[in-house]
Amino acid sequence: MMSSALLKLFRSTGSYLLAISRHSIFRPHSIRGIPVPKTDHERAAAARDLLKAAFGERVITADDPTSRPMVALTTPWSTTCHLPSAAYFQPVSAAEVSTALSIITKTQCKFAVRATGHNPNPGFSSTREDGVILDLQLLNDKSFDPETGIASLGAGNTWGEVYTWLEGKGRSVMGGRYEEIGVAGFVLGGGMPGFVNLRGMGCDQVRGFEVVLGDGHTVHCSAEVRPGLYRALKGGGSNFGVVTTFYLQTYPLLKTQYTVSLYKPDDYANIIEASVATHKEMETDVQAAYFTNVHRDFVAIGQLYADTPEEEPKVFEPFRKLESMMAPVVPKTDGTLSTLAQAIGHRPPKGKRTIFTISTKVDKALYLAIHKIWQDITATLPPSSDGTDLHYTIQPVTASAARAGRDNGTGGNALGLQEVSQNWCVFTLEYPRDGDDVVHQAAMDRLYEQVKAAAEERGLLLDFVCPTFADKRQDVLRGFGEENVGLIKEVAAKYDGEGVFQKLQYGGFLVRDL
C-alpha cells in the first residue's frame, strides 16, 4: 500500500513530473513539501509506489501474488542477472517511458533499462532491491514503409520476430544471429550481424531513432536531424536516453546457404589453419561468413553464405579439406535469415554466464597460443559432465565491414573500427547455478590477462572491444578512439545535462567510468 505522503506526492505533482527540465534533480530538495527519501532502498520504494499508482498491474513487484514477478526476474539470459529488483515497469509507449523517467528522477531512484536481457553482465539490465527496471518488452510494435524500405521497430522486439515478419513482406534486415536476441541492446552496442562483411554492423542499418531523454522529452534523430546524437547512439549504448523505436533500412529478401558441423577437438591446429585461410579468402568474397566455436569435447564450425549457389563456395575450401569432421549438426540448407537464426541459436540450460572479448589481427601463431592458454585454464575447471563449459569463438571481420559502415551514407558510427582484417574472439564460461562464482571468475580473469598479453606481445592486439561481447570491466568506450570518446562525452552532456543516465543508471559502458 502506498503511504499517504507518497500518494499526496503523486496526486500533487501531476504534470509537474513531466516538466522536470526546470529543476536540478541532484541538489537536496523536497517535492511540494514532501522530503525526498534519503537511502537507495527508500528511493526505490518511493519510485515503486508512484509507478504502481500511475500504471497499476504493469508494475511488477516481488510481493505480487501472480507468477509475473518470477517471469520478470528470470527473463535475463544468464542467471547471474536474476537479481530481485524493487519493481519492474513495462511501458507501452514513449510517453509512459517519459513519465517513468520523471518519477525516477524526482525520487532519485537507481534504475536499469531492459529489452530482452541477453547481456550477462549483472547491473546492465538488472538491479537489486535498491533500484527499478524499465522493461521494454511490450514496446513491440512493427511497421513497414514500402516506399522507403524502412522498418520501424519497437525496442522490445527480438530478431526472430522481426525476421519472420519482414520475410512475409519479401524483405530482410541485417540483425542478430540468434532469434532470441533483442533489437535494442544489439543495435546500441554496435551489433555484429551474421553477414557483417556484406553491409556492416547492425547499427549501420539505422536510419533514425526515437529517444526519451533524461528530462522527459521525446526526440527523433537521424543523419539530418540531431546528427551528433544519431551517430553517438550507434555503438554508444545507454549514455543518452531510452531508445523506444528504431528505424532500420531493409533490403530485398536475402537468401542464405549454411551448414554447421562438429570436428574432433584434437585437430585444433588444422582447424585453426583452415579458419585463418578462410578468413583471408573472405576479403574478396563479402557474401561469406563463418564461426569456429571451440569446446573441450568438440569444435563447431558454421559456414554461412549470403546466397544459394549450386556449387560449393570456393571460400570454404579450407574447411572442406579437414579430415576430422565427426558429424554435421545442421546439414547444408538453403534458407533465409530467419531459418539461419533458428538453426544456429545457442540455447543451453539456464545457468550462470560470464564473457569477455578480445579483438586482434589475424595470425595463426597467435591463435595457436590462445588455444594453449585456453587448454591450460580449462584443465583447472570442473568437467563438462558437471555442466561447466568454457568455450571460445573465432569471429572473422574483414576490412569491408568497416568500410560498409563508413560508405553507406548514414553519417558513420561511434565504434572507430579499423579497416583491417580482424578477429573478435569471444570467450564464454557457462556453469551451473550452484557453481562457485569465485573459482569461475578467477579462471576467466586469468584467461583474459594471458590472452591479452599474448596478443600485445606480438603487436596484434586492437583497441576495439565489441560492446555486446564485453565483460563489464573492459574499457569499451576508450576502445572506440579519442575522437569518438569526445563525441560520446559531448553528446551525453548536451542531451543529458542533469546526468540522469550517469548518476542514476545501475550499470553499463558509461561515460561516468571514463
Side-chain angles (χ1 to χ4, degrees), residues 17 86 190 302 344 398 485:
L17 280 170
I344 69 173
T398 67
V485 168

Side-chain angles (χ1 to χ4, degrees), residues 14-76:
S15 61
Y16 182 75
L17 280 170
L18 299 178
I20 59 175
S21 60
R22 297 193 295 272
H23 75 272
S24 176
I25 63 173
F26 297 107
R27 290 196 298 268
H29 64 284
S30 63
I31 308 172
R32 299 288 175 87
I34 306 300
V36 171
K38 294 182 179 180
T39 71
D40 287 340
H41 282 83
E42 288 174 350
R43 291 166 184 154
R48 175 199 64 210
D49 291 347
L50 289 172
L51 288 167
K52 285 183 75 70
F55 301 108
E57 65 180 15
R58 281 185 289 114
V59 180
I60 303 167
T61 58
D63 58 358
D64 193 311
T66 72
S67 62
R68 295 177 69 219
M70 187 55 65
V71 173
L73 180 63
T74 59
T75 292

Side-chain angles (χ1 to χ4, degrees), residues 206-244:
V206 180
R207 296 299 180 263
F209 299 93
E210 177 186 71
V211 193
V212 181
L213 303 178
D215 65 4
H217 289 92
T218 299
V219 301
H220 290 79
C221 61
S222 66
E224 295 77 30
V225 179
R226 302 180 182 88
L229 177 60
Y230 169 67
R231 181 181 163 196
L233 280 167
K234 293 193 286 183
S238 58
N239 279 290
F240 321 104
V242 178
V243 177
T244 50

